[in-house]
Amino acid sequence: MQNYKIAVIAGDGIGPDVIAEGKKVLEGIARLDGSFSVEFTDFPWGCEYYLKNGCMMPENGLDILKDFDAIYLGAVGYPGVPDDVSLQGLLLKIRRGFDQYINLRPVKLLQGAPCPLKDVSEKDIDMVVVRENSEGEYANVGARLYPGTEQEVALQTGVFSRKGCKRVIRYAYELAKKEGKTLTNISKANALGYSMVFWNEIFAEVGKDYPEVKTSSLMVDAASMFFVKDPKRFQIVVTSNLFGDIITDLGAAIAGGMGLAAGANLNPEKKFPSMFEPIHGSAPDIAGQGLANPLAAIWSVSQMLDFFGKEAWGAKVINAIETLLLEKKVLTPDLGGTAKTSDIGKAILEILQR
């Protein structure tokens, strides 16, 4: 029997609430399947840990995590801890340290999920955004010159390497080829004449190896408009770190809200563990009250199952979430229900056993 060792960093605010439901679902699936098991190890890292210890995770945190099969992350953020500290000290440190260069975010409108767009059906919003996840605009290279003076200057440098661009673009082409879907490249080459022109050149270069994949390219501002006006034009999308971060939150807004938004941070070669997370915030004001929606955390379990090669179970989890939304019997308050956070995992498992 395959045993998957999973490091759990539930984090702050509602992180522990929603991760508990995801763990419940994953353990239940392992029991139902019978061919694999899961073993969770919890780590108390995050903003509250920072307030006590002066760091988001121990100095040897990556060494502690490196032998796990996956990392399951809740949410990070807490009053009194600057956002740049929390992001750089944990999430980005793990992404870079474990070369999780693919960020995979599904933007899929499920039946029963709320959508703010008029005259849009489930078939119109069904895409996957492949976001570069290890460099680009988030490389955190720069400087502050003449601090505290009228001449102060802040420099922020994007880092676009040939290797970094090529591997994420090729991953997107491979995914489009495998699934028989179109591929849209999103950039901003008219204004960013070095980084984005370079990105577009590599997109065209890699595309020569995939003549069967139908492609298009859009400026990020135009793409944002079409996410709202014509989302059905997008199937597989590839873009840089910053643009991917922004458009996937827009995607979440049109596909049920942040409570249904999940993300995978992948090291495809499995040299290092990959990390799976709901992408919503920590919402400390409702933590521990049973109000948080854990469906995004459960959706990220589906992504983890896919990565483990359990695609059938991954699909079943998505179908179970859709059934839950359609039946409207067990939903949290944000979706118009009265259920507690702790009711959702059990309800999903009951659907999976029908």
Side-chain angles (χ1 to χ4, degrees):
M1 179 182 290
Q2 175 71 56
N3 179 52
Y4 294 105
K5 296 182 178 180
I6 300 169
V8 178
I9 307 173
D12 309 303
I14 62 171
D17 303 342
V18 299
I19 289 298
E21 298 309 290
K23 290 166 69 176
K24 190 184 297 181
V25 169
L26 189 53
E27 285 179 319
I29 288 172
R31 288 194 299 270
L32 290 171
D33 182 88
S35 70
F36 71 95
S37 61
V38 291
E39 178 184 341
F40 297 112
T41 302
D42 294 279
F43 297 96
W45 303 340
C47 290
E48 292 187 62
Y49 184 89
Y50 173 85
L51 292 173
K52 294 175 184 176
N53 300 279
C55 55
M56 292 291 293
M57 63 191 293
E59 189 174 328
N60 64 338
L62 294 181
D63 286 334
I64 294 171
L65 295 172
K66 65 181 176 60
D67 292 326
F68 284 89
D69 296 301
I71 302 164
Y72 192 24
L73 178 69
V76 180
Y78 200 76
V81 180
D83 289 340
D84 62 309
V85 171
S86 59
L87 185 67
Q88 295 288 341
L90 185 67
L91 182 61
L92 294 188
K93 186 174 182 179
I94 293 171
R95 284 178 177 175
R96 295 188 193 117
F98 288 151
D99 203 20
Q100 295 169 348
Y101 62 88
I102 298 294
N103 185 275
L104 209 59
R105 291 194 182 178
V107 179
K108 180 178 176 65
L109 180 62
L110 302 182
Q111 293 185 68
C115 178
L117 305 182
K118 286 180 60 179
D119 304 321
V120 169
S121 67
E122 293 79 22
K123 69 179 186 302
D124 294 328
I125 303 178
D126 187 3
M127 67 184 91
V128 174
V129 178
V130 181
R131 165 190 169 194
E132 200 289 315
N133 205 40
S134 61
E135 52 177 46
E137 304 91 345
Y138 288 4
N140 203 37
V141 175
R144 293 279 289 273
L145 307 178
Y146 317 116
T149 72
E150 288 297 317
Q151 291 76 37
E152 186 167 9
V153 176
L155 302 174
Q156 191 80 42
T157 302
V159 175
F160 290 79
S161 68
R162 173 168 288 277
K163 175 184 176 181
C165 296
K166 198 170 184 178
R167 63 185 181 177
V168 69
I169 289 170
R170 186 170 295 280
Y171 185 97
Y173 268 107
E174 286 286 343
L175 185 61
K177 177 182 176 180
K178 176 185 174 183
E179 299 191 1
K181 294 183 176 180
T182 62
L183 175 61
T184 303
N185 170 45
I186 294 177
S187 70
K188 187 65 176 172
N190 59 343
L192 301 172
Y194 293 100
S195 60
M196 288 288 97
V197 169
F198 181 61
W199 173 279
N200 284 353
E201 288 173 354
I202 293 176
F203 181 80
E205 177 185 314
V206 175
K208 293 175 182 178
D209 296 334
Y210 300 89
E212 67 274 48
V213 176
K214 184 179 178 181
T215 65
S216 61
S217 292
L218 286 171
M219 300 294 184
V220 66
D221 42 356
S224 299
M225 177 185 69
F226 285 124
F227 260 51
V228 175
K229 294 187 67 175
D230 188 23
K232 65 180 177 293
R233 70 183 291 159
F234 300 102
Q235 294 182 345
I236 307 298
V237 174
V238 65
T239 190
S240 69
N241 210 331
L242 172 63
F243 296 159
D245 194 3
I246 295 169
I247 65 170
T248 50
D249 276 15
L250 176 57
I254 66 173
M258 297 302 284
L260 286 167
N265 305 276
L266 305 180
N267 176 254
E269 296 78 17
K270 299 185 179 180
K271 181 179 178 181
F272 302 105
S274 294
M275 181 164 60
F276 303 85
E277 56 172 328
I279 65 169
H280 54 62
S282 60
D285 55 318
I286 62 168
Q289 299 177 38
L291 299 174
N293 178 359
L295 290 178
I298 294 170
W299 195 319
S300 64
V301 164
S302 168
Q303 291 188 291
M304 191 186 303
L305 287 163
D306 288 344
F307 194 65
F308 287 160
K310 313 292 183 183
E311 291 92 346
W313 277 114
K316 287 178 182 178
V317 170
I318 301 303
N319 291 338
I321 293 173
E322 192 165 49
T323 299
L324 193 82
L325 293 169
L326 281 170
E327 292 181 347
K328 301 185 185 301
K329 295 176 182 176
V330 187
L331 294 175
T332 46
D334 64 306
L335 293 172
T338 59
K340 297 288 189 182
T341 307
S342 57
D343 296 329
I344 306 302
K346 178 183 176 184
I348 291 290
L349 285 172
E350 287 175 351
I351 292 169
L352 287 170
Q353 293 177 75
R354 291 179 185 174

